[in-house]
Structure formats: structure tokens, C-alpha cells
Amino acid sequence: MDVSHIFDQLNDAQREAVALEPRPALVLAGAGSGKTRVLTSRVTFLVQLHNVSPLSILAVTFTNKAAREMRERIEAQLGFPVGGMWMGTFHGLAHRLLRQHYEEANLPQGFQILDSDDQQRLIKRVLKEIDLDEAYWPPKQAQWFINHHKEEGRRANQVQISPDPQQQTMLSIYKQYEQLCQRLGLVDFTELLLRAFELMKNNEQLRTHYQQRFEHILVDEFQDTNSIQYEWLKLFAAPQNNIFVVGDDDQSIYGWRGAKVENILQFEKDFKESKVIRLEQNYRSTSNILNAANAVIANNDQRLGKQLWTDSGDGEPVKLFTAYNETEEARFVINQISKWVDDGGSRSEVAILYRSNAQSRAFEESLLSAGMPYRVYGGLRFFERAEIKHALAYLRLADNHADDPSFERIVNFPTRGIGDKTIDQIREYARANSISLWDASCQLVTQNQLTSRAKTALSKFVDLIQALEEQMFEQELHEQIDIMLDLSTLIAHFEKERGEKAAARVENLQELITAARNFEHPEEDDLPALASFLAHASLEAGEGQAEEWEDCVQLMSLHTAKGLEFPLVFLTGLEDGLFPHQRTLDEAGDGLQEERRLCYVGMTRAMQQLYLTYAEIRRLYGKENYTSPSRFLSEIPDEYIQQIRVENRFSLHDPYNSNNRQGVGSNFNIGSHMVDVDAKHDSGVAVGSNVTHPKFGDGMVTNLEGQGEYARVEVNFTEAGSKWLVLAYANLTLV
Ligand code: ATP
Ligand code: MG
């Protein structure tokens, strides 16, 4: 068969990788060098030239989005659909296995997936049950403990720890949590992986079946696999070991979640006959962007070492913008996007990247007020919003009575007179009899332990769920949602609340019907539509903002941006403490290096233009802080960077300007900044003034820009060095 159409689009090294005879192989290469392209082309190559059935291929990617794109690309190359091919994320594939073999995996058919929030809720319940005070035993810490051990493949009874009482308590939380999940048929994210791994490991018949079925295993972003995932891959790959992995040690950014970059080195040891191929040409970015990113990552040690070059020309320099706060940062970014669009660019070519999801809020507000469509990927996604989780909890409970977290979420929401005391009684009863909260409720309403008021309220709830179940029976999915919204009175509840938030919640709930209508029930999954939809809601992010087809700006965390590329990228919030994250500055370990890799990932998403921004004052999580620029900025040589500063400076001599605030954020001056020596603020502060600051001590004003409440000054402090401060907050005294 003619495969020239695949090879035409590859360079020599890529071609070699794609055409390797079946064997273990590792493609180790930097960002944008075509690793993902090689992986996709290899699938096409195997199917077309080696007559490998798509059903015999297992391909693992990092996000559902990547999996979808990959499938589309392969189908386009092959010219026929490959629906049966196993292609997805580790979690998605593990889920699929567990659904198909739930009995062998010792799970109920309708097992439900716990997201991180639900998991914490369940841990809180465990703490209560074994009489531990949350204040001393933070649920988050217990969650970390549990997940960490699971990622390493250890069940509670396999954990070996010191006799230290603190550790012992953690372990007993893990034990109790494990039992509770099993009893309730609940599976958290890490459990998906561990359970699927154990299923394969312990069941020889199944293992042999899948080992024979999957002739070829391909893995993208291999540097971010954790122990259990790697073990899982090895099981699937055996005994032929046709395992083809691509990765970049410099882009390993999930160490905090147990990923092991050492797996790359381990791979060469585990598969001694493996072939290692390096790709060195970057096709994504201009050389200014690539050189700047290379300069940053060069500060890490223990790299495997790669050369990366591009022949796509210098391009524009990387631009650095210093904002005085996060609002100005957002306005600047949106201004640049407007220009991009005015110049004929599209919004979907633009990505705003940030370290922490909470940073998206400032951008979202500015985008909304500018009327610019956008989508947030990750973070607070549609299915994670409180009202949606409430609605889903009704569906889950109707679908699976043993789903205690869902029970807890809605038993008194909207309020129906079931107080904390009653709920405690239900929990107590459930525990004493080892039954679910639902079963406990059904029994309690026929007995005399509850007050009569509580009994009436609880039996109404039981009736409600039963009615829900009955009415939903054999209805279309979107009708089921409609019925749930009606019976649960969720919409009525939020309609009573006033304000925009409540209105948005009502809209989101209504949107759920749309989501159900659009939900494509995967054919390979023989679950009822509702169960399949609920699993989808847990695994997949359905976003609530702009529609998929709409041309909109892309907002996402740096972690989410992995593997993607955009012509115009804004890497924002480059401040020490935010990025790199404070935690990594306080602790010893690899944290700071991982942050640097994250910075490298962010910078290398950019194809044509890269903006780096930071704010001198930032309000985040309700607190306001003076910041200092990220250390990563100082790692970029000046030759690749161009500074941008606000042009409008306050001047008493300009009567038109003295009260003009809207100018801020709309005019920017490219080039190294100039000092306006005549500038003077109405507080009397001017360039040359001697001032004192409560924290930084004495200094002299060397620069002044902006006006009114936006005015800011640069002060050269004798002790603390040069700093930009916002006059309104700086608390400066003229000397
Ligand atoms: P990352 O490390 O960020 O995941 P990657 O190594 O997977 O990057 P790809 O996303 O596969 O890189 O490729 C980067 C860009 O370069 C894509 O737009 C891809 O289409 C393009 N590209 C890759 N190889 C070639 C080639 N031989 N000729 C032209 N363009 C190429
Ligand atoms: Mg890639």
C-alpha cells in the first residue's frame, strides 16, 4: 500500500521512528519536535502497511481532547472510522475495563466515580466515624496519604510505616475509607487505575486475553506516567513488548501527583532491546520563543539533555509586560487580543495560561465586560459547579441507592427540614447495621427512633427519590433530567434566590438538559444511557462558556495546556510565590525544578508570539500582596525580550489627563521605559522625592506613571533596592 502521504510530512528522524519494525521504542525529544505527530503517523502506518487491525491497538494520551484529536487525525489519514480502537487517557481506559469486567473486579455494576471533592467528603465522614477531629486531621492530608499509596500500588494492608502514631492514624483512615468505598460501590480516580491494574494482574485469563488482543501499545507524554500506570503498561505490553512511547523529561509536570520521570530511564532498563530515537527540530515556535524557553530550562540539573533548533526565523521578541495589579494585567491581555483579532487573527488562536485556576476569574471578568467569547478548560468546569453536582447527585442516588456521598449532598438540599441531628442519627444507624444511608433512612421511617417531625421530613425525601426512580424509568435521558429538575425543585429553589449568581445557576441547570440531549452514548459501552452519562460527567469536562464551535479565547492552567499549541500565548502571573508556586519555594525537593519545567511547557506552547506578564500587586483568594517578579523571568537573556510599559503618565501640566482613568490599559508603549521627570502626583510625590516606606525604609522616587488611584511609582530604596509600588496602597511618606 502507498504510505508516501504519511512519510512526506516527516523528517528523517521522524520517519525512522514511524517505520520501526515492531519492538520497544522510546522517542525522546523536546517540545514541538513532532512526537505526537510521530505517534499518530505510526498508528496509521501500522494499520496501513502492517495490516494491523485498529482493534489491536491501545493508544494512551493525556487528555480526552488529545484522544479525540488523534482519532480524527488517524481517520482522516486512513479514510475510514476507527471507532473500536482503544484510545484514551489512563483513567478513561481503566474505567472502560472496569465497566466491562465489573464482576471480576469485585465491583457492583452501577459503581460510581468519586471526584476529588466527593472523596474529601467521604474522608470527612470516615473521620467522624472513627472520632477524629478534622482540625487535627485535615481531610486533605488524609486524601494525599491515600492517593499517594494507591499511586504506588499499595492497598491499606500493604502499607508499611513506622510505629509513629500520626502515621498509624493515617493508615487507619485509609483502611476505613477503603472499606467504606467497597461497601458503597464507589471508586475514586486513583482507584480506577489501581483496580484496573489489579484486575489484569490477578486474573490470568483476562490478562492473556488483553495481551493477545493488544499487539501494539503507544503512549504519548510518557514522562508523566506514575508507577501504577507504568506497571499497567508493562502488563499490557507483555509478552511481545511492542511498546512505543514518546516523551520529554523537560516537560514532566505531574511529579506532585506521583508521576515519575525516572520511568524514562527505567524504560531503557526494562526493555533492553529498546530503540531510542531523538528528534531535534522544533516545528512549532520562532527562534526567539524557543531560545527563551531553552534558556529557562537550562537552569535545571539532571536533564537527559536535548538539542532543539528551528529554522522558522527569529520572529518577534518575547514581550514582557509589568502590570500594577491583576485587573490591569487582564485589561492589557484583552487589549492585545483585540488587536490580534483586528489584524485578522481568530480568537481560538489565542491562549491565556496561568499557574492557578483561581487566576482565571480576573480574565473572565474582563473578557465578559469586553464581550469577548472565551472558554475555560479545566478548573471550575461545568460538571464541577455546585448546582450541577446537586442535580447529578439526585440522578446518582436514584441510579444507585448505595451512593452515600450523593445522599449526603441532597438529603437536605433544597432544605426540607432534615437537620444535622437527624442526619447524624441516620449515619449512626447505617454504621451500626453496615448498610447504606439510603437503606438506613428507609428503615428509620418505619421505626420510632426519630422525632415525628424528622420522620415526616425524611419519609418525604424517601418518597421523592422513589418517585424520581419510577418516573424516570424507560425515559429518554434528557427527559429523565427534566423530571429530576422538576421533582427535586432545584430550579424552583434557585429561582427564589435573587442575584446574578442564582440566575446563572438556573441557567446551568437548564443547560444540563442540553448536555443530555447532546450526549453521545458511546456504542461500545453497553451501560444504560443514564449511567453512561453520569460516568461521562465525572470523567470529562463539559464546559459551560462559549460553545465548542464558537471562535473563542482559550483559558487554561499550564497543566492543561500540555501538548497543545497556539499562535498567540499569554503566560500570566509570573510572580515568585504564584509561579513558581510558594509551596515549592518553602520546601526542599524537586518542586522548583518542576515549576521550571512547567514554565518551559507554557513558553513552548507559543508558535508566533509569546507575552509574559506579571502584576506588582495581586489580589488572589481574597488577599492583597506585593509581589516580586518570577525568578524565571531573570533567566531569560535580554536579547530575546522586549519590555512593555504603560505609556500614560500622570502629569499635572495636562488638564485633560488628570482625571482620565480609562486611558490606563489602552495605551501601551513598547520599548524600554523612559522616565517622565516632570511627573508629579496630587499627593505631592514626584520624581526625585525622598520618601519612607513602613517596610522598605528610605528611598528616592525614580519614576512615576499612571494617575489618580492607578498612579504608581518606582522607588529606589537604600536597603531594599528598586521597587514599583501603587501610590494608593504604598503608604509612602514624603521626607
Ligand atoms: P509537545 O512536546 O509540546 O507535545 P510534540 O513533540 O508532540 O510537542 P507535535 O505537537 O507533534 O510536537 O508537533 C508540533 C508542531 O509541529 C505541530 O503543529 C506539528 O504539526 C508540526 N510538525 C511536526 N513535525 C513536522 C514536520 N516534519 N513538518 C512540518 N511540521 C511538523
Ligand atoms: Mg505532543
Side-chain angles (χ1 to χ4, degrees):
M1 181 166 300
D2 179 25
V3 288
S4 57
H5 66 289
I6 313 174
F7 286 128
D8 285 351
Q9 299 170 23
L10 301 170
N11 65 30
D12 289 346
Q14 292 173 332
R15 217 172 282 149
E16 183 192 353
V18 167
L20 276 180
E21 75 279 20
R23 62 182 295 175
L26 164 68
V27 177
L28 180 63
S33 58
K35 294 182 296 300
T36 303
R37 178 183 275 214
V38 161
L39 191 107
T40 313
S41 306
R42 175 142 177 103
V43 172
T44 314
F45 174 82
L46 288 171
V47 173
Q48 228 164 41
L49 206 79
H50 283 256
N51 283 326
V52 175
S53 156
L55 299 178
S56 305
I57 293 177
L58 176 70
V60 189
T61 62
F62 214 76
T63 60
N64 292 312
K65 192 170 188 280
R68 263 195 308 273
E69 282 174 11
M70 206 175 265
R71 190 182 293 273
E72 281 162 18
R73 226 147 121 185
I74 292 167
E75 288 179 351
Q77 282 179 342
L78 287 175
F80 57 86
V82 288
M85 186 161 69
W86 282 52
M87 178 171 262
T89 64
F90 277 110
H91 288 97
L93 295 169
H95 175 244
R96 188 163 170 181
L97 262 183
L98 292 178
R99 284 287 174 208
Q100 278 177 15
H101 306 287
Y102 65 92
E103 267 171 311
E104 292 96 325
N106 189 22
L107 286 170
Q109 180 167 25
F111 74 83
Q112 298 287 339
I113 303 167
L114 285 181
D115 67 11
S116 167
D117 232 36
D118 297 328
Q119 189 187 24
Q120 253 188 60
R121 202 184 301 268
L122 206 64
I123 289 172
K124 283 186 187 172
R125 177 167 151 197
V126 168
L127 293 176
K128 227 178 204 161
E129 286 190 3
I130 52 180
D131 244 354
L132 291 174
D133 187 347
E134 266 183 46
Y136 294 100
W137 303 99
K140 265 213 147 122
Q141 212 174 318
Q143 186 178 25
W144 184 87
F145 181 91
I146 293 170
N147 292 347
H148 168 71
H149 283 292
K150 284 194 188 184
E151 275 150 10
E152 295 294 319
R154 291 189 287 267
R155 293 275 168 209
N157 63 13
Q158 295 164 325
V159 175
Q160 294 191 346
I161 46 168
S162 64
D164 171 36
Q166 156 105 21
Q167 292 284 303
Q168 292 294 340
T169 308
M170 281 292 174
L171 185 55
S172 57
I173 299 173
Y174 182 9
K175 278 193 182 131
Q176 193 84 3
Y177 169 82
E178 204 170 47
Q179 285 167 11
L180 194 60
C181 286
Q182 183 63 33
R183 200 169 84 220
L184 304 179
L186 299 171
V187 173
D188 62 47
F189 278 161
T190 321
E191 181 71 27
L192 283 173
L193 301 175
L194 180 56
R195 186 73 67 133
F197 170 69
E198 290 173 342
L199 174 69
M200 289 286 289
K201 188 161 173 257
N202 303 333
N203 189 321
E204 198 189 331
Q205 204 186 343
L206 270 184
R207 184 173 65 242
T208 316
H209 167 79
Y210 281 105
Q211 285 177 341
Q212 282 172 354
R213 167 165 179 179
F214 295 124
E215 287 170 50
H216 292 273
I217 317 278
L218 298 100
V219 190
D220 200 1
E221 308 276 5
F222 180 67
Q223 75 280 357
D224 277 324
T225 49
N226 64 26
S227 301
I228 194 86
Q229 290 165 339
Y230 183 48
E231 291 306 316
W232 202 77
L233 288 173
K234 285 197 286 189
L235 270 188
F236 272 100
Q240 307 100 313
N241 291 335
N242 295 330
I243 176 167
F244 185 93
V245 305
V246 310
D248 177 6
D249 56 311
D250 288 333
Q251 296 186 69
S252 159
I253 55 175
Y254 281 93
W256 56 283
R257 235 167 54 181
K260 290 229 165 74
V261 67
E262 299 87 333
N263 285 341
I264 295 185
L265 298 173
Q266 193 57 38
F267 186 89
E268 291 184 67
K269 289 189 194 131
D270 288 341
F271 300 101
K272 293 222 169 45
E273 68 287 25
S274 65
K275 172 87 185 162
V276 179
I277 292 184
R278 293 176 183 256
L279 311 175
E280 297 187 331
Q281 180 169 2
N282 170 297
Y283 289 93
R284 180 179 293 146
S285 313
T286 64
S287 71
N288 275 325
I289 294 171
L290 191 62
N291 290 340
N294 282 342
V296 170
I297 198 66
N299 291 280
N300 270 5
D301 47 30
Q302 298 186 339
R303 301 172 58 212
L304 297 179
K306 287 180 299 281
Q307 301 294 326
L308 209 54
W309 60 278
T310 173
D311 66 2
S312 58
D314 288 347
E316 293 196 37
V318 174
K319 313 251 170 63
L320 172 64
F321 178 69
T322 310
Y324 58 86
N325 65 14
E326 75 284 352
T327 315
E328 194 197 33
E329 182 187 45
R331 270 194 243 150
F332 169 79
V333 167
I334 281 133
N335 249 290
Q336 301 311 111
I337 301 177
S338 299
K339 285 186 194 155
W340 174 267
V341 174
D342 289 346
D343 291 345
S346 70
R347 288 184 285 264
S348 54
E349 291 169 332
V350 185
I352 305 178
L353 308 181
Y354 35 78
R355 174 67 181 84
S356 299
N357 282 312
Q359 283 169 258
S360 78
R361 191 199 47 83
F363 291 108
E364 291 193 59
E365 278 172 12
S366 295
L367 285 158
L368 278 172
S369 67
M372 192 180 282
Y374 69 93
R375 262 164 84 86
V376 180
Y377 290 84
L380 204 58
R381 298 165 300 203
F382 182 68
F383 283 114
E384 288 170 7
R385 298 196 172 121
E387 64 278 13
I388 298 300
K389 293 186 90 170
H390 281 116
L392 294 176
Y394 275 95
L395 298 171
R396 283 187 203 280
L397 188 62
D399 196 45
N400 169 15
H401 288 163
D403 190 338
D404 283 0
S406 293
F407 180 98
E408 297 230 14
R409 185 180 270 280
I410 54 168
V411 62
N412 197 36
F413 192 90
T415 41
R416 48 176 72 88
I418 302 176
D420 283 347
K421 214 175 132 246
T422 311
I423 298 176
D424 273 336
Q425 279 177 289
I426 303 173
R427 284 197 199 108
E428 186 51 45
Y429 188 91
R431 191 175 59 213
N433 296 289
S434 289
I435 53 177
S436 66
L437 296 175
W438 167 262
D439 286 341
S441 305
C442 292
Q443 295 181 16
L444 280 170
V445 295
T446 63
Q447 300 170 9
N448 285 323
Q449 297 174 31
L450 302 176
T451 63
S452 66
R453 252 180 66 204
K455 216 163 101 170
T456 317
L458 189 59
S459 58
K460 274 202 183 136
F461 176 68
V462 169
D463 291 347
L464 164 64
I465 298 298
Q466 278 167 347
L468 186 56
E469 233 183 318
E470 259 170 50
Q471 294 190 27
M472 281 176 15
F473 185 68
E474 293 203 330
Q475 297 287 338
E476 294 271 325
L477 181 59
H478 67 270
E479 284 164 347
Q480 292 179 320
I481 307 247
D482 207 352
I483 294 164
M484 176 275 298
L485 289 175
D486 184 15
L487 288 187
S488 68
T489 68
L490 276 174
I491 290 203
H493 168 81
F494 288 117
E495 271 172 352
K496 265 187 280 164
E497 273 181 27
R498 254 172 259 146
E500 267 180 42
K501 252 218 169 104
R505 290 188 197 280
V506 171
E507 282 172 16
N508 284 335
L509 286 171
Q510 286 158 341
E511 182 63 22
L512 197 56
I513 301 178
T514 319
R517 271 187 198 278
N518 295 343
F519 176 62
E520 285 171 37
H521 191 182
E523 348 157 2
E524 74 268 9
D525 149 354
D526 39 36
L527 283 178
L530 178 62
S532 178
F533 180 69
L534 290 173
H536 157 85
S538 305
L539 285 171
E540 166 78 280
E543 293 82 4
Q545 307 92 21
E547 298 295 336
E548 196 95 47
W549 42 264
E550 210 173 333
D551 179 31
C552 56
V553 178
Q554 319 276 304
L555 271 70
M556 66 194 80
S557 73
L558 287 157
H559 283 98
T560 307
K562 200 164 85 138
L564 306 179
E565 59 189 18
F566 305 91
L568 172 59
V569 168
F570 296 87
L571 185 47
T572 66
L574 277 154
E575 296 139 34
D576 261 16
L578 184 60
F579 188 31
H581 197 281
Q582 189 62 43
R583 196 185 50 235
T584 65
L585 297 178
D586 298 340
E587 288 170 4
D590 179 51
L592 184 59
Q593 303 220 7
E594 180 148 314
E595 294 290 298
R596 193 174 278 112
R597 293 193 289 267
L598 195 53
C599 185
Y600 176 75
V601 167
M603 293 174 79
T604 53
R605 297 310 96 197
M607 301 163 82
Q608 294 163 23
Q609 282 191 44
L610 173 63
Y611 283 84
L612 308 173
T613 66
Y614 73 95
E616 290 167 328
I617 292 190
R618 180 172 299 274
R619 261 163 299 173
L620 194 67
Y621 313 117
K623 270 195 275 179
E624 184 162 274
N625 289 308
Y626 287 98
T627 69
S628 25
S630 170
R631 61 197 62 198
F632 301 146
L633 288 173
S634 61
E635 296 171 357
I636 306 173
D638 285 345
E639 54 186 305
Y640 307 126
I641 286 235
Q642 181 175 42
Q643 301 226 12
I644 304 176
R645 280 213 177 269
V646 180
E647 190 183 51
N648 272 10
R649 294 210 171 75
F650 170 75
S651 165
L652 275 183
H653 311 305
D654 181 1
Y656 295 106
N657 226 359
S658 58
N659 261 327
N660 169 11
R661 284 177 196 156
Q662 86 208 26
V664 174
S666 55
N667 283 314
F668 299 94
N669 176 26
I670 298 186
S672 62
H673 70 268
M674 301 158 296
V675 179
D676 180 355
V677 289
D678 289 335
K680 188 174 181 203
H681 187 251
D682 37 14
S683 65
V685 171
V687 172
S689 299
N690 288 315
V691 291
T692 64
H693 181 273
K695 187 165 151 212
F696 303 130
D698 295 339
M700 194 181 81
V701 175
T702 53
N703 203 350
L704 173 61
E705 54 184 49
Q707 54 238 275
E709 59 174 305
Y710 295 126
R712 47 196 211 139
V713 288
E714 186 175 33
V715 183
N716 192 8
F717 291 104
T718 324
E719 305 261 298
S722 188
K723 295 206 180 299
W724 278 96
L725 302 170
V726 173
L727 258 184
Y729 305 112
N731 213 357
L732 290 178
T733 322
L734 273 169
V735 198

